């Protein structure tokens, strides 16, 4: 990597980023802390990050990025739901803020690297470059949401926790005496802590998402939904239709304000088309085989990756369940290195 050892560390106030600072200092890096103040950032987040920085004696900056977060993350999230998609705001936050604006801030502060508390690894590719790879702890691996990192920034990005388990990160935080060592992990989107997406969308936009018809696969009305934006492909609970068998949300049409439901076998598709694909390798000239995942918690599945204009088409070796527009499709090689990824815009 670079010649210097000064690192800007993104500090969220949680145990992971605090442990990351501790590890970097142990490795001889000169650390500078930075916390993004975003839409809905609770004061205790800033307090916890500031306290951790003070305990380690490093400078700490609060970066007021509410406007940028709203424009690049929340507005995209809202518009995605309006189109009937299920967007992943963590991907956009990584693309535009953490590995966009924060890298710019790192340069402004004279830092050679940006570090975060993500569980992933960046390792040499054997040819003078770098590869984004899965974390050693596959249960914590976050490489799926990190695919938007610009390839040219891999050599200036550090993931100190990539080789550790969560338990080991907590042990480090406890040994260091951090008050947040046992802080609970956030389970929901940071700006929707209660997980009620539909209520957030209605509050944020000032608009109601009206009730509408639920249809079966033949187009027959079988129930009423309370707002199509509040349902996602593959959802079974809370759909609002009684049936003798299990039924799932299979499709949404926002123009007609309808939701289509059906049995599980109706959820499977043979491929998808993606946009905004980010290559982390030299883009191959020909279609190639890879392992692809289309959801954060999904295991990668064999697929063919086919460049098509500015986008990429994925053809699955076996039909896959609940492939959803707005989510990411991320391609890996057999060794767990990320080859690239993009946003699913079409299924079929």
């Amino acid at each position: 990597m670079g010649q210097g050892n000064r690192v800007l560390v993104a500090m969220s106030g949680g145990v992971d980023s605090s442990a990351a600072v501790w590890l970097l200092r142990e490795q001889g890096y000169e650390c500078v802390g930075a916390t993004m103040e975003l839409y809905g950032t609770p004061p205790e987040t800033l307090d916890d990050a500031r306290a951790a920085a003070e305990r380690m004696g490093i400078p700490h900056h609060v970066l007021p990025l509410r406007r940028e977060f709203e424009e690049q993350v929340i507005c995209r999230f809202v518009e995605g739901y309006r189109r009937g998609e299920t967007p992943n705001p963590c991907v956009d936050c990584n693309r535009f803020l953490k590995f966009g604006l924060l890298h710019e801030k790192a340069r402004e502060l004279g830092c050679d690297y940006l570090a975060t508390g993500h569980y992933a690894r960046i390792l040499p590719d054997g040819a003078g470059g770098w590869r984004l790879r899965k974390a050693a702890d596959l249960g914590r691996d976050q490489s799926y949401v990190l695919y938007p990192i610009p390839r040219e920034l891999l050599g200036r990005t550090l993931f100190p926790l990539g080789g550790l388990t969560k338990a080991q990160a907590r042990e480090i935080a406890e040994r260091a005496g951090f008050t947040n060592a046992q802080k609970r992990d956030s389970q929901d989107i940071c700006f929707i802590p209660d997980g009620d997406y539909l209520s957030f969308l209605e509050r944020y936009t000032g608009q109601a998402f009206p009730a509408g018809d639920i249809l079966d696969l033949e187009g027959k009305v079988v129930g009423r939904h309370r707002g199509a934006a509040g349902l996602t492909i593959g959802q079974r609970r809370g759909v609002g239709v009684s049936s003798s068998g299990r039924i799932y949300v299979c499709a949404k049409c926002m123009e007609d304000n309808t939701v289509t439901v059906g049995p599980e076998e109706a959820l499977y598709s043979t491929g998808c088309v993606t946009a905004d694909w980010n290559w982390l390798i030299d883009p191959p000239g020909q279609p190639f085989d890879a392992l692809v995942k289309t959801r954060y918690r999904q295991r990668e599945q064999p697929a063919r990756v086919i460049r098509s204009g500015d986008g990429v088409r994925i053809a699955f070796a076996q039909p896959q369940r609940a492939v959803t527009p707005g989510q990411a499709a991320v391609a890996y090689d057999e060794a767990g290195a990320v080859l690239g990824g993009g946003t699913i815009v079409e299924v079929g």
Side-chain angles (χ1 to χ4, degrees):
M1 294 189 179
Q3 297 301 309
N5 72 337
R6 186 173 163 91
V7 187
L8 183 69
V9 187
M11 300 184 68
S12 66
V15 61
D16 292 331
S17 57
S18 298
V21 176
W22 184 265
L23 284 170
L24 289 168
R25 291 180 70 234
E26 290 286 292
Q27 294 164 14
Y29 288 96
E30 177 190 355
C31 296
V32 178
T35 302
M36 299 186 296
E37 186 174 13
L38 308 174
Y39 178 95
T41 299
E44 56 266 28
T45 291
L46 304 179
D47 293 341
D48 287 347
R50 189 179 295 112
E54 287 177 357
R55 179 165 185 81
M56 288 180 287
I58 68 170
H60 180 257
H61 301 266
V62 174
L63 308 179
L65 296 175
R66 177 185 173 119
R67 177 179 59 82
E68 292 84 351
F69 185 75
E70 285 200 70
E71 290 175 354
Q72 301 289 8
V73 179
I74 296 181
C75 288
R76 290 173 183 270
F77 177 84
V78 171
E79 290 307 311
Y81 267 100
R82 281 176 166 160
R83 291 191 299 268
E85 300 170 355
T86 303
N88 190 325
C90 295
V91 168
D92 283 333
C93 186
N94 286 335
R95 176 185 286 122
F96 296 108
L97 274 73
K98 290 192 179 78
F99 302 99
L101 293 177
L102 276 188
H103 259 296
E104 294 176 11
K105 188 66 176 178
R107 285 193 290 269
E108 290 176 16
L109 293 172
C111 293
D112 306 284
Y113 307 105
L114 171 71
T116 73
H118 285 102
Y119 288 83
R121 293 178 291 174
I122 295 176
L123 300 173
D125 66 1
W130 302 92
R131 299 292 290 274
L132 172 65
R133 297 174 68 97
K134 291 182 184 179
D137 182 353
L138 295 180
R140 299 292 305 184
D141 175 56
Q142 293 173 295
S143 60
Y144 173 79
V145 294
L146 294 170
Y147 80 84
I149 299 176
R151 186 183 180 190
E152 64 271 17
L153 294 182
L154 289 178
R156 296 183 54 238
T157 303
L158 302 175
F159 296 135
L161 304 187
L164 305 181
T165 65
K166 180 71 176 194
Q168 288 172 320
R170 289 198 186 279
E171 288 173 9
I172 290 169
E174 286 181 347
R175 286 203 309 269
F178 294 138
T179 58
N180 61 9
Q182 295 301 323
K183 188 174 181 179
R184 186 176 63 88
D185 289 344
S186 173
Q187 300 297 319
D188 294 300
I189 293 173
C190 66
F191 56 91
I192 314 178
D194 63 0
D196 189 343
Y197 295 2
L198 186 59
S199 292
F200 169 80
L201 291 166
E202 292 184 335
R203 286 196 312 272
Y204 188 81
T205 64
Q207 300 173 347
F209 286 81
D213 289 334
I214 300 176
L215 312 176
D216 64 15
L217 296 178
E218 285 72 46
K220 177 184 175 183
V221 176
V222 293
R224 294 281 288 176
H225 64 74
R226 296 191 297 273
L231 299 172
T232 189
I233 304 302
Q235 181 174 336
R236 180 171 71 88
R237 298 183 186 279
V239 176
V241 177
S242 59
S243 172
S244 57
R246 292 186 173 185
I247 60 169
Y248 301 82
V249 175
C250 297
K252 300 194 294 185
C253 179
M254 303 305 283
E255 291 82 4
D256 298 336
N257 194 30
T258 59
V259 171
T260 299
V261 298
E264 185 171 18
E265 53 264 30
L267 289 174
Y268 286 80
S269 54
T270 58
C272 63
V273 176
T274 68
D276 301 321
W277 188 273
N278 182 52
W279 287 105
L280 292 178
I281 58 170
D282 292 332
Q286 300 295 324
F288 64 96
D289 293 327
L291 299 172
V292 176
K293 62 191 297 185
T294 57
R295 287 181 180 270
Y296 184 73
R297 294 299 180 192
Q298 179 195 28
R299 178 175 293 181
E300 301 84 46
Q301 300 296 319
R304 192 85 166 152
V305 180
I306 307 153
R307 294 178 66 187
S308 177
D310 293 332
V312 168
R313 175 171 177 78
I314 307 295
F316 302 116
Q318 299 291 333
Q320 295 299 304
R321 184 185 187 278
V323 181
T324 306
Q327 292 289 295
V330 180
Y332 295 79
D333 67 13
E334 293 281 356
V338 177
L339 306 176
T343 303
I344 299 168
V345 294
E346 184 181 332
V347 177

